Amino acid sequence: MSNNNGMQKNVILEKSTEFALEIISFTANLKKEKHFEISSQLFRSGTSIGANINESQNAESRKDFVHKLKIAAKEASETRYWLYLCTKSDSLISPKPDLLEQLETIE
């Protein structure tokens, strides 16, 4: 499938961007509840996934491409951990279930 520029649609890039936007929204809610530390950690790891996937698109070599995707995978793992803490903690806001589902489609 092509976009208007005739370029191939990059599903993983789109999904990681959508996920980052959801993370931005969720962490804003955490900040409103004064959970600044976890909000900051989750914001950094959750938005870094898409940033690294995006960066991989301009990799200098295959090795560089793989390296950037591995970093994105590590950030996804860290994000899963922070979201898990949010779901298990009585004092934190739980993320919407579809946020974890979105993360699974990226991983």
Side-chain angles (χ1 to χ4, degrees), residues 35-66:
H35 298 295
F36 302 112
E37 293 83 3
I38 196 160
S39 172
S40 179
Q41 291 287 341
L42 183 55
F43 181 90
R44 282 195 298 273
S45 66
T47 58
S48 182
I49 300 165
N52 280 289
I53 291 170
N54 189 58
E55 205 174 316
S56 75
Q57 303 306 294
N58 295 304
E60 296 175 7
S61 65
R62 179 168 168 68
K63 184 177 179 181
D64 187 36
F65 176 78
V66 170

PDB file of all heavy atoms in Angstrom, residues 35-66:
ATOM      1  N   HIS A  35       2.120  12.279  40.047  1.00  0.00           N
ATOM      2  CA  HIS A  35       3.020  11.125  39.955  1.00  0.00           C
ATOM      3  C   HIS A  35       4.122  11.474  38.951  1.00  0.00           C
ATOM      4  O   HIS A  35       4.228  10.874  37.885  1.00  0.00           O
ATOM      5  CB  HIS A  35       2.249   9.872  39.516  1.00  0.00           C
ATOM      6  CG  HIS A  35       1.187   9.477  40.480  1.00  0.00           C
ATOM      7  ND1 HIS A  35       1.454   9.056  41.756  1.00  0.00           N
ATOM      8  CD2 HIS A  35      -0.169   9.434  40.350  1.00  0.00           C
ATOM      9  CE1 HIS A  35       0.332   8.770  42.373  1.00  0.00           C
ATOM     10  NE2 HIS A  35      -0.670   9.002  41.553  1.00  0.00           N
ATOM     11  N   PHE A  36       4.931  12.448  39.319  1.00  0.00           N
ATOM     12  CA  PHE A  36       5.910  13.017  38.400  1.00  0.00           C
ATOM     13  C   PHE A  36       7.010  12.040  37.999  1.00  0.00           C
ATOM     14  O   PHE A  36       7.401  11.990  36.839  1.00  0.00           O
ATOM     15  CB  PHE A  36       6.533  14.285  38.993  1.00  0.00           C
ATOM     16  CG  PHE A  36       5.524  15.344  39.313  1.00  0.00           C
ATOM     17  CD1 PHE A  36       5.248  15.690  40.622  1.00  0.00           C
ATOM     18  CD2 PHE A  36       4.833  15.989  38.296  1.00  0.00           C
ATOM     19  CE1 PHE A  36       4.303  16.673  40.919  1.00  0.00           C
ATOM     20  CE2 PHE A  36       3.880  16.964  38.579  1.00  0.00           C
ATOM     21  CZ  PHE A  36       3.617  17.308  39.895  1.00  0.00           C
ATOM     22  N   GLU A  37       7.512  11.265  38.966  1.00  0.00           N
ATOM     23  CA  GLU A  37       8.649  10.390  38.678  1.00  0.00           C
ATOM     24  C   GLU A  37       8.281   9.303  37.675  1.00  0.00           C
ATOM     25  O   GLU A  37       8.970   9.119  36.670  1.00  0.00           O
ATOM     26  CB  GLU A  37       9.198   9.750  39.964  1.00  0.00           C
ATOM     27  CG  GLU A  37       9.835  10.739  40.912  1.00  0.00           C
ATOM     28  CD  GLU A  37       8.827  11.452  41.811  1.00  0.00           C
ATOM     29  OE1 GLU A  37       7.614  11.132  41.750  1.00  0.00           O
ATOM     30  OE2 GLU A  37       9.250  12.353  42.555  1.00  0.00           O
ATOM     31  N   ILE A  38       7.206   8.584  37.941  1.00  0.00           N
ATOM     32  CA  ILE A  38       6.821   7.501  37.026  1.00  0.00           C
ATOM     33  C   ILE A  38       6.351   8.083  35.695  1.00  0.00           C
ATOM     34  O   ILE A  38       6.604   7.506  34.636  1.00  0.00           O
ATOM     35  CB  ILE A  38       5.783   6.544  37.636  1.00  0.00           C
ATOM     36  CG1 ILE A  38       5.735   5.257  36.816  1.00  0.00           C
ATOM     37  CG2 ILE A  38       4.426   7.177  37.757  1.00  0.00           C
ATOM     38  CD1 ILE A  38       5.149   4.079  37.539  1.00  0.00           C
ATOM     39  N   SER A  39       5.715   9.241  35.739  1.00  0.00           N
ATOM     40  CA  SER A  39       5.292   9.903  34.508  1.00  0.00           C
ATOM     41  C   SER A  39       6.499  10.202  33.622  1.00  0.00           C
ATOM     42  O   SER A  39       6.477   9.943  32.419  1.00  0.00           O
ATOM     43  CB  SER A  39       4.552  11.198  34.835  1.00  0.00           C
ATOM     44  OG  SER A  39       4.300  11.934  33.667  1.00  0.00           O
ATOM     45  N   SER A  40       7.545  10.712  34.239  1.00  0.00           N
ATOM     46  CA  SER A  40       8.753  11.057  33.493  1.00  0.00           C
ATOM     47  C   SER A  40       9.425   9.815  32.906  1.00  0.00           C
ATOM     48  O   SER A  40       9.819   9.807  31.737  1.00  0.00           O
ATOM     49  CB  SER A  40       9.720  11.792  34.429  1.00  0.00           C
ATOM     50  OG  SER A  40      10.903  12.116  33.762  1.00  0.00           O
ATOM     51  N   GLN A  41       9.537   8.763  33.698  1.00  0.00           N
ATOM     52  CA  GLN A  41      10.156   7.520  33.226  1.00  0.00           C
ATOM     53  C   GLN A  41       9.359   6.926  32.068  1.00  0.00           C
ATOM     54  O   GLN A  41       9.913   6.516  31.047  1.00  0.00           O
ATOM     55  CB  GLN A  41      10.243   6.495  34.365  1.00  0.00           C
ATOM     56  CG  GLN A  41      11.215   6.855  35.444  1.00  0.00           C
ATOM     57  CD  GLN A  41      12.648   6.692  35.003  1.00  0.00           C
ATOM     58  OE1 GLN A  41      12.969   6.016  34.041  1.00  0.00           O
ATOM     59  NE2 GLN A  41      13.538   7.352  35.717  1.00  0.00           N
ATOM     60  N   LEU A  42       8.047   6.873  32.231  1.00  0.00           N
ATOM     61  CA  LEU A  42       7.174   6.293  31.213  1.00  0.00           C
ATOM     62  C   LEU A  42       7.171   7.147  29.945  1.00  0.00           C
ATOM     63  O   LEU A  42       7.192   6.615  28.837  1.00  0.00           O
ATOM     64  CB  LEU A  42       5.759   6.141  31.773  1.00  0.00           C
ATOM     65  CG  LEU A  42       4.719   5.486  30.896  1.00  0.00           C
ATOM     66  CD1 LEU A  42       5.163   4.114  30.407  1.00  0.00           C
ATOM     67  CD2 LEU A  42       3.401   5.368  31.653  1.00  0.00           C
ATOM     68  N   PHE A  43       7.185   8.458  30.117  1.00  0.00           N
ATOM     69  CA  PHE A  43       7.225   9.358  28.962  1.00  0.00           C
ATOM     70  C   PHE A  43       8.485   9.095  28.141  1.00  0.00           C
ATOM     71  O   PHE A  43       8.424   8.958  26.923  1.00  0.00           O
ATOM     72  CB  PHE A  43       7.182  10.820  29.424  1.00  0.00           C
ATOM     73  CG  PHE A  43       7.204  11.806  28.299  1.00  0.00           C
ATOM     74  CD1 PHE A  43       6.017  12.243  27.733  1.00  0.00           C
ATOM     75  CD2 PHE A  43       8.401  12.290  27.785  1.00  0.00           C
ATOM     76  CE1 PHE A  43       6.023  13.152  26.679  1.00  0.00           C
ATOM     77  CE2 PHE A  43       8.416  13.194  26.740  1.00  0.00           C
ATOM     78  CZ  PHE A  43       7.233  13.626  26.183  1.00  0.00           C
ATOM     79  N   ARG A  44       9.633   9.037  28.832  1.00  0.00           N
ATOM     80  CA  ARG A  44      10.898   8.846  28.113  1.00  0.00           C
ATOM     81  C   ARG A  44      10.951   7.504  27.389  1.00  0.00           C
ATOM     82  O   ARG A  44      11.308   7.439  26.215  1.00  0.00           O
ATOM     83  CB  ARG A  44      12.080   8.976  29.075  1.00  0.00           C
ATOM     84  CG  ARG A  44      12.412  10.410  29.399  1.00  0.00           C
ATOM     85  CD  ARG A  44      13.791  10.560  30.040  1.00  0.00           C
ATOM     86  NE  ARG A  44      13.919   9.865  31.309  1.00  0.00           N
ATOM     87  CZ  ARG A  44      13.590  10.361  32.491  1.00  0.00           C
ATOM     88  NH1 ARG A  44      13.095  11.573  32.562  1.00  0.00           N
ATOM     89  NH2 ARG A  44      13.763   9.669  33.582  1.00  0.00           N
ATOM     90  N   SER A  45      10.612   6.420  28.086  1.00  0.00           N
ATOM     91  CA  SER A  45      10.713   5.104  27.441  1.00  0.00           C
ATOM     92  C   SER A  45       9.641   4.922  26.364  1.00  0.00           C
ATOM     93  O   SER A  45       9.921   4.396  25.294  1.00  0.00           O
ATOM     94  CB  SER A  45      10.653   3.979  28.475  1.00  0.00           C
ATOM     95  OG  SER A  45       9.391   3.922  29.110  1.00  0.00           O
ATOM     96  N   GLY A  46       8.436   5.386  26.644  1.00  0.00           N
ATOM     97  CA  GLY A  46       7.332   5.192  25.701  1.00  0.00           C
ATOM     98  C   GLY A  46       7.465   5.972  24.413  1.00  0.00           C
ATOM     99  O   GLY A  46       7.073   5.502  23.340  1.00  0.00           O
ATOM    100  N   THR A  47       8.038   7.164  24.489  1.00  0.00           N
ATOM    101  CA  THR A  47       8.226   7.950  23.263  1.00  0.00           C
ATOM    102  C   THR A  47       9.527   7.578  22.555  1.00  0.00           C
ATOM    103  O   THR A  47       9.667   7.803  21.359  1.00  0.00           O
ATOM    104  CB  THR A  47       8.202   9.467  23.555  1.00  0.00           C
ATOM    105  OG1 THR A  47       9.213   9.788  24.511  1.00  0.00           O
ATOM    106  CG2 THR A  47       6.833   9.900  24.068  1.00  0.00           C
ATOM    107  N   SER A  48      10.456   6.990  23.291  1.00  0.00           N
ATOM    108  CA  SER A  48      11.740   6.589  22.709  1.00  0.00           C
ATOM    109  C   SER A  48      11.585   5.426  21.726  1.00  0.00           C
ATOM    110  O   SER A  48      12.379   5.301  20.795  1.00  0.00           O
ATOM    111  CB  SER A  48      12.723   6.209  23.815  1.00  0.00           C
ATOM    112  OG  SER A  48      13.966   5.870  23.279  1.00  0.00           O
ATOM    113  N   ILE A  49      10.564   4.617  21.916  1.00  0.00           N
ATOM    114  CA  ILE A  49      10.335   3.486  21.002  1.00  0.00           C
ATOM    115  C   ILE A  49      10.213   4.009  19.569  1.00  0.00           C
ATOM    116  O   ILE A  49      10.956   3.602  18.674  1.00  0.00           O
ATOM    117  CB  ILE A  49       9.066   2.700  21.391  1.00  0.00           C
ATOM    118  CG1 ILE A  49       9.182   2.134  22.800  1.00  0.00           C
ATOM    119  CG2 ILE A  49       8.787   1.592  20.369  1.00  0.00           C
ATOM    120  CD1 ILE A  49       7.856   1.672  23.385  1.00  0.00           C
ATOM    121  N   GLY A  50       9.282   4.916  19.368  1.00  0.00           N
ATOM    122  CA  GLY A  50       9.052   5.469  18.044  1.00  0.00           C
ATOM    123  C   GLY A  50      10.224   6.289  17.535  1.00  0.00           C
ATOM    124  O   GLY A  50      10.536   6.269  16.343  1.00  0.00           O
ATOM    125  N   ALA A  51      10.886   6.991  18.452  1.00  0.00           N
ATOM    126  CA  ALA A  51      12.045   7.789  18.044  1.00  0.00           C
ATOM    127  C   ALA A  51      13.141   6.892  17.475  1.00  0.00           C
ATOM    128  O   ALA A  51      13.749   7.214  16.448  1.00  0.00           O
ATOM    129  CB  ALA A  51      12.572   8.598  19.226  1.00  0.00           C
ATOM    130  N   ASN A  52      13.374   5.759  18.115  1.00  0.00           N
ATOM    131  CA  ASN A  52      14.410   4.842  17.628  1.00  0.00           C
ATOM    132  C   ASN A  52      13.995   4.132  16.350  1.00  0.00           C
ATOM    133  O   ASN A  52      14.818   3.910  15.463  1.00  0.00           O
ATOM    134  CB  ASN A  52      14.794   3.843  18.721  1.00  0.00           C
ATOM    135  CG  ASN A  52      15.736   4.451  19.717  1.00  0.00           C
ATOM    136  OD1 ASN A  52      16.896   4.693  19.412  1.00  0.00           O
ATOM    137  ND2 ASN A  52      15.232   4.741  20.906  1.00  0.00           N
ATOM    138  N   ILE A  53      12.724   3.793  16.235  1.00  0.00           N
ATOM    139  CA  ILE A  53      12.242   3.183  14.996  1.00  0.00           C
ATOM    140  C   ILE A  53      12.370   4.195  13.859  1.00  0.00           C
ATOM    141  O   ILE A  53      12.819   3.855  12.761  1.00  0.00           O
ATOM    142  CB  ILE A  53      10.796   2.670  15.151  1.00  0.00           C
ATOM    143  CG1 ILE A  53      10.767   1.472  16.105  1.00  0.00           C
ATOM    144  CG2 ILE A  53      10.195   2.297  13.793  1.00  0.00           C
ATOM    145  CD1 ILE A  53       9.379   1.029  16.522  1.00  0.00           C
ATOM    146  N   ASN A  54      12.004   5.433  14.142  1.00  0.00           N
ATOM    147  CA  ASN A  54      12.131   6.485  13.137  1.00  0.00           C
ATOM    148  C   ASN A  54      13.594   6.679  12.744  1.00  0.00           C
ATOM    149  O   ASN A  54      13.922   6.800  11.564  1.00  0.00           O
ATOM    150  CB  ASN A  54      11.540   7.792  13.673  1.00  0.00           C
ATOM    151  CG  ASN A  54      11.441   8.848  12.619  1.00  0.00           C
ATOM    152  OD1 ASN A  54      10.791   8.651  11.602  1.00  0.00           O
ATOM    153  ND2 ASN A  54      12.084   9.966  12.847  1.00  0.00           N
ATOM    154  N   GLU A  55      14.469   6.695  13.729  1.00  0.00           N
ATOM    155  CA  GLU A  55      15.896   6.866  13.454  1.00  0.00           C
ATOM    156  C   GLU A  55      16.447   5.706  12.627  1.00  0.00           C
ATOM    157  O   GLU A  55      17.329   5.895  11.793  1.00  0.00           O
ATOM    158  CB  GLU A  55      16.644   6.959  14.794  1.00  0.00           C
ATOM    159  CG  GLU A  55      17.933   7.697  14.713  1.00  0.00           C
ATOM    160  CD  GLU A  55      18.565   7.882  16.087  1.00  0.00           C
ATOM    161  OE1 GLU A  55      17.848   8.234  17.036  1.00  0.00           O
ATOM    162  OE2 GLU A  55      19.783   7.667  16.170  1.00  0.00           O
ATOM    163  N   SER A  56      15.920   4.511  12.848  1.00  0.00           N
ATOM    164  CA  SER A  56      16.408   3.343  12.100  1.00  0.00           C
ATOM    165  C   SER A  56      16.149   3.476  10.603  1.00  0.00           C
ATOM    166  O   SER A  56      16.854   2.864   9.796  1.00  0.00           O
ATOM    167  CB  SER A  56      15.757   2.056  12.627  1.00  0.00           C
ATOM    168  OG  SER A  56      14.414   1.942  12.196  1.00  0.00           O
ATOM    169  N   GLN A  57      15.167   4.285  10.233  1.00  0.00           N
ATOM    170  CA  GLN A  57      14.832   4.452   8.826  1.00  0.00           C
ATOM    171  C   GLN A  57      15.945   5.154   8.052  1.00  0.00           C
ATOM    172  O   GLN A  57      15.995   5.092   6.833  1.00  0.00           O
ATOM    173  CB  GLN A  57      13.517   5.227   8.673  1.00  0.00           C
ATOM    174  CG  GLN A  57      12.339   4.597   9.392  1.00  0.00           C
ATOM    175  CD  GLN A  57      12.123   3.142   9.015  1.00  0.00           C
ATOM    176  OE1 GLN A  57      11.791   2.837   7.867  1.00  0.00           O
ATOM    177  NE2 GLN A  57      12.309   2.241   9.964  1.00  0.00           N
ATOM    178  N   ASN A  58      16.826   5.831   8.777  1.00  0.00           N
ATOM    179  CA  ASN A  58      17.953   6.522   8.153  1.00  0.00           C
ATOM    180  C   ASN A  58      19.282   5.942   8.616  1.00  0.00           C
ATOM    181  O   ASN A  58      20.285   6.652   8.683  1.00  0.00           O
ATOM    182  CB  ASN A  58      17.893   8.020   8.476  1.00  0.00           C
ATOM    183  CG  ASN A  58      16.676   8.659   7.874  1.00  0.00           C
ATOM    184  OD1 ASN A  58      16.461   8.572   6.675  1.00  0.00           O
ATOM    185  ND2 ASN A  58      15.856   9.275   8.706  1.00  0.00           N
ATOM    186  N   ALA A  59      19.273   4.660   8.925  1.00  0.00           N
ATOM    187  CA  ALA A  59      20.485   4.005   9.412  1.00  0.00           C
ATOM    188  C   ALA A  59      21.585   4.045   8.356  1.00  0.00           C
ATOM    189  O   ALA A  59      21.311   4.040   7.154  1.00  0.00           O
ATOM    190  CB  ALA A  59      20.182   2.558   9.781  1.00  0.00           C
ATOM    191  N   GLU A  60      22.809   4.076   8.832  1.00  0.00           N
ATOM    192  CA  GLU A  60      23.959   4.143   7.939  1.00  0.00           C
ATOM    193  C   GLU A  60      24.355   2.777   7.386  1.00  0.00           C
ATOM    194  O   GLU A  60      25.069   2.701   6.389  1.00  0.00           O
ATOM    195  CB  GLU A  60      25.139   4.772   8.674  1.00  0.00           C
ATOM    196  CG  GLU A  60      24.864   6.210   9.057  1.00  0.00           C
ATOM    197  CD  GLU A  60      25.964   6.820   9.898  1.00  0.00           C
ATOM    198  OE1 GLU A  60      27.014   6.183  10.095  1.00  0.00           O
ATOM    199  OE2 GLU A  60      25.764   7.955  10.361  1.00  0.00           O
ATOM    200  N   SER A  61      23.892   1.731   8.045  1.00  0.00           N
ATOM    201  CA  SER A  61      24.215   0.370   7.607  1.00  0.00           C
ATOM    202  C   SER A  61      23.165  -0.580   8.166  1.00  0.00           C
ATOM    203  O   SER A  61      22.340  -0.195   9.005  1.00  0.00           O
ATOM    204  CB  SER A  61      25.600  -0.044   8.122  1.00  0.00           C
ATOM    205  OG  SER A  61      25.585  -0.122   9.538  1.00  0.00           O
ATOM    206  N   ARG A  62      23.204  -1.813   7.696  1.00  0.00           N
ATOM    207  CA  ARG A  62      22.286  -2.828   8.227  1.00  0.00           C
ATOM    208  C   ARG A  62      22.528  -3.034   9.718  1.00  0.00           C
ATOM    209  O   ARG A  62      21.590  -3.161  10.491  1.00  0.00           O
ATOM    210  CB  ARG A  62      22.465  -4.141   7.465  1.00  0.00           C
ATOM    211  CG  ARG A  62      21.563  -5.253   7.969  1.00  0.00           C
ATOM    212  CD  ARG A  62      21.550  -6.436   7.005  1.00  0.00           C
ATOM    213  NE  ARG A  62      20.945  -7.617   7.540  1.00  0.00           N
ATOM    214  CZ  ARG A  62      19.660  -7.779   7.830  1.00  0.00           C
ATOM    215  NH1 ARG A  62      18.818  -6.786   7.639  1.00  0.00           N
ATOM    216  NH2 ARG A  62      19.202  -8.915   8.303  1.00  0.00           N
ATOM    217  N   LYS A  63      23.786  -3.029  10.116  1.00  0.00           N
ATOM    218  CA  LYS A  63      24.147  -3.197  11.532  1.00  0.00           C
ATOM    219  C   LYS A  63      23.566  -2.043  12.364  1.00  0.00           C
ATOM    220  O   LYS A  63      23.032  -2.261  13.455  1.00  0.00           O
ATOM    221  CB  LYS A  63      25.664  -3.263  11.679  1.00  0.00           C
ATOM    222  CG  LYS A  63      26.140  -3.526  13.069  1.00  0.00           C
ATOM    223  CD  LYS A  63      27.648  -3.645  13.112  1.00  0.00           C
ATOM    224  CE  LYS A  63      28.132  -3.892  14.534  1.00  0.00           C
ATOM    225  NZ  LYS A  63      29.585  -3.978  14.627  1.00  0.00           N
ATOM    226  N   ASP A  64      23.674  -0.840  11.859  1.00  0.00           N
ATOM    227  CA  ASP A  64      23.127   0.337  12.535  1.00  0.00           C
ATOM    228  C   ASP A  64      21.604   0.234  12.633  1.00  0.00           C
ATOM    229  O   ASP A  64      21.009   0.553  13.669  1.00  0.00           O
ATOM    230  CB  ASP A  64      23.540   1.598  11.785  1.00  0.00           C
ATOM    231  CG  ASP A  64      23.166   2.890  12.501  1.00  0.00           C
ATOM    232  OD1 ASP A  64      23.226   2.920  13.744  1.00  0.00           O
ATOM    233  OD2 ASP A  64      22.840   3.873  11.799  1.00  0.00           O
ATOM    234  N   PHE A  65      20.967  -0.226  11.556  1.00  0.00           N
ATOM    235  CA  PHE A  65      19.516  -0.414  11.525  1.00  0.00           C
ATOM    236  C   PHE A  65      19.084  -1.392  12.614  1.00  0.00           C
ATOM    237  O   PHE A  65      18.176  -1.105  13.407  1.00  0.00           O
ATOM    238  CB  PHE A  65      19.104  -0.924  10.139  1.00  0.00           C
ATOM    239  CG  PHE A  65      17.653  -1.255  10.005  1.00  0.00           C
ATOM    240  CD1 PHE A  65      16.701  -0.254   9.840  1.00  0.00           C
ATOM    241  CD2 PHE A  65      17.225  -2.580  10.027  1.00  0.00           C
ATOM    242  CE1 PHE A  65      15.353  -0.567   9.706  1.00  0.00           C
ATOM    243  CE2 PHE A  65      15.880  -2.894   9.891  1.00  0.00           C
ATOM    244  CZ  PHE A  65      14.946  -1.890   9.730  1.00  0.00           C
ATOM    245  N   VAL A  66      19.737  -2.525  12.672  1.00  0.00           N
ATOM    246  CA  VAL A  66      19.401  -3.548  13.672  1.00  0.00           C
ATOM    247  C   VAL A  66      19.636  -3.011  15.077  1.00  0.00           C
ATOM    248  O   VAL A  66      18.818  -3.215  15.982  1.00  0.00           O
ATOM    249  CB  VAL A  66      20.204  -4.847  13.417  1.00  0.00           C
ATOM    250  CG1 VAL A  66      20.057  -5.821  14.567  1.00  0.00           C
ATOM    251  CG2 VAL A  66      19.764  -5.485  12.098  1.00  0.00           C
TER     252      VAL A  66
END
